[in-house]
Amino acid sequence: MPQSRTLLLLAGDGIGPEVTRQVRRVVDWMNRARGAGFDVVEELVGGAAIDRHGVPLTDETMAIAHQVDAVLLGAVGGPRWDDIEFARRPEAGLLRLRKELGLFANLRPAKVFSPLIDTSPLKPDVVEGLDLLIVRELTGGVYFGEPRGITELPDGGRRGVNTQVYTSHEIRRVAETAFDIARRRGRRVCSVEKANVMESGRLWREEVTALAAESHTDIELSHMYADNCAMQLVRNPRQFDVILTDNLFGDLLSDEASMLTGSLGMLPSASLGPADPATGRRPAMYEPVHGSAPDIAGRDMANPIATLLSFAMMLRFSFDLGAEADMIEAAVEKVLSGGIRTQDIMTDGMARVSTSVMGDSILRALERMPG
Ligand code: IPM
Ligand code: MG
């Protein structure tokens, strides 16, 4: 009897539907060829949900997200919804999912595929073999801190406020995740903040240091200011194994790290919540790091690889299907080695293909794979 695995697919806006469609094809193939038993529900999020329901995420969709084993999200947002107030914008749907599912740990691996080494704007000898992981805190900090808002001032001007705030509990639980993951990699964690100017950064450094000393003495812990980290990422990115950082710095540094690998179109992510003490199960959502890319949306040009690699992360973290995850990664590697490229990773002499043809090629590579 194949096991049933439930998956909520939220394609969202812009290129979201195009790239998640390629994952849907891989899911269907896994059900057919490997009896994976995925049960997929598709719903709306972001601008697509605003257009249909007037809100960026309905309560019904939120309830489904709580019930399923994992969520896969494409992208949200676009110029059409830019003038809406924050609480009703497409991004609010994504932030609600992260917050209500309690997805405090966001894992963003930046790995260089060797066939793409020439796509990176950095010199090949700087990025060759690069394999780092950013662990970004995802449910706290300035994204959610109160007070926030824009108010009128008596002088006729206005005042915009956001609050950067972290508690020791929030810092420790994401640091714990970073240490655990580092143990399965290079055992090195670089914790990134601005303890030189921010109290929240100072607390961050103190708590991470204390936690490491209490229960993670096997991990080599270092600290770096966020501005220096931004610079070190282009100067010598291979010095890093795991970078642990807050919500806002993680947002910035992960976009930067993605370019080291050649394209934002290659970078997957996984967001994990707390493990259920009884079952060990963690609420989880998987998304490509790239956004909705409205400039190329609907033109069958986007790179579906970040989303496919996000699905591979799902197979590994949520379903314990490591062999299947390896297959997807190997299929991607094979297609890239064969010179197939979407426009974002195109270089001289390669074959430029559409989103759907990239999907076809990866499916064909999967079908031909032994085992
Ligand atoms: C990301 C995105 C989101 C973020 C936006 C779409 C709200 O940039 O996942 O990195 O800022 O977290
Ligand atoms: Mg971002």
Side-chain angles (χ1 to χ4, degrees):
M1 239 337 247
Q3 198 181 338
S4 167
R5 301 181 160 104
T6 53
L7 164 54
L8 172 62
L9 194 78
L10 299 170
D13 308 321
I15 61 172
E18 298 157 57
V19 293
T20 51
R21 197 169 304 132
Q22 304 311 315
V23 170
R24 184 68 213 244
R25 297 173 70 196
V26 171
V27 171
D28 293 343
W29 175 80
M30 287 207 157
N31 281 350
R32 268 198 324 273
R34 304 197 47 103
F38 279 108
D39 196 349
V40 183
V41 185
E42 297 200 33
E43 286 296 340
L44 301 174
V45 68
I50 294 174
D51 291 348
R52 174 82 62 85
H53 304 293
V55 288
L57 186 77
T58 64
D59 293 342
E60 290 74 23
T61 304
M62 190 65 234
I64 298 171
H66 276 290
Q67 284 154 18
V68 293
D69 296 317
V71 180
L72 184 85
L73 186 136
V76 294
R80 279 182 50 213
W81 306 281
D82 267 354
D83 296 329
I84 307 176
E85 54 165 323
F86 279 115
R88 305 182 66 84
R89 281 173 66 97
E91 289 82 354
L94 172 59
L95 297 178
R96 181 178 177 197
L97 281 160
R98 289 175 179 173
K99 190 69 173 178
E100 289 190 23
L101 293 172
L103 308 176
F104 62 84
N106 179 221
L107 280 36
R108 299 188 160 187
K111 203 169 164 170
V112 168
F113 281 85
S114 45
L116 290 191
I117 195 100
D118 293 325
T119 324
S120 174
L122 270 71
K123 296 192 188 88
D125 59 307
V126 176
V127 291
E128 183 155 31
L130 176 78
D131 180 4
L132 63 81
L133 175 73
I134 296 182
V135 178
R136 168 188 177 192
E137 199 290 327
L138 202 62
T139 52
V142 76
Y143 273 60
F144 296 96
E146 298 282 348
R148 64 183 298 160
I150 299 178
T151 51
E152 309 284 335
L153 292 174
D155 69 359
R158 295 190 301 159
R159 182 171 183 266
V161 182
N162 290 94
T163 303
Q164 165 77 346
V165 52
Y166 273 108
T167 63
S168 47
H169 168 70
E170 289 173 310
I171 297 166
R172 281 177 177 246
R173 66 182 177 178
V174 70
E176 190 82 48
T177 302
F179 289 136
D180 287 345
I181 290 177
R183 194 162 287 118
R184 288 179 253 147
R185 302 174 39 105
R187 291 181 177 256
R188 287 183 298 120
V189 172
C190 179
S191 173
V192 171
E193 26 57 10
K194 274 189 69 80
N196 51 344
V197 283
M198 297 163 74
E199 279 76 8
S200 60
R202 170 124 183 241
L203 184 75
W204 184 283
R205 188 175 289 216
E206 289 173 6
E207 293 295 333
V208 172
T209 304
L211 180 69
E214 284 160 24
S215 44
H216 299 279
T217 48
D218 58 324
I219 303 290
E220 187 185 317
L221 173 66
S222 60
H223 304 273
M224 204 179 265
Y225 297 141
D227 51 346
N228 185 25
C229 181
M231 184 273 279
Q232 295 294 340
L233 270 174
V234 289
R235 195 185 74 91
N236 174 20
R238 277 185 312 218
Q239 71 186 283
F240 298 109
D241 177 24
V242 174
I243 293 175
L244 163 65
T245 191
D246 78 9
N247 204 342
L248 184 60
F249 293 141
D251 183 43
L252 307 180
L253 296 173
S254 60
D255 265 32
E256 187 187 0
S258 74
M259 261 338 271
L260 306 175
T261 71
S263 169
L264 197 48
M266 296 294 298
L267 216 73
S269 85
S271 306
L272 307 174
D276 182 304
T279 61
R281 196 180 146 256
R282 295 183 86 158
M285 180 160 77
Y286 300 83
E287 347 159 26
V289 171
H290 63 68
S292 57
D295 51 324
I296 59 163
R299 292 165 62 190
D300 201 21
M301 280 170 76
N303 186 349
I305 293 179
T307 315
L308 285 162
L309 294 176
S310 301
F311 176 62
M313 289 185 88
M314 175 193 294
L315 294 174
R316 200 166 272 130
F317 286 107
S318 288
F319 297 112
D320 212 12
L321 293 172
E324 281 75 5
D326 289 346
M327 283 178 78
I328 293 181
E329 286 162 4
V332 168
E333 180 98 45
K334 188 152 187 24
V335 166
L336 294 175
S337 303
I340 307 289
R341 301 283 188 274
T342 41
Q343 42 83 33
D344 57 307
I345 48 175
M346 184 64 192
T347 44
D348 279 352
M350 301 292 135
R352 179 178 170 151
V353 301
S354 63
T355 310
S356 42
V357 171
M358 179 58 92
D360 296 341
S361 311
I362 291 171
L363 265 175
R364 210 165 318 123
L366 279 171
E367 281 159 3
R368 288 192 187 146
M369 216 154 270

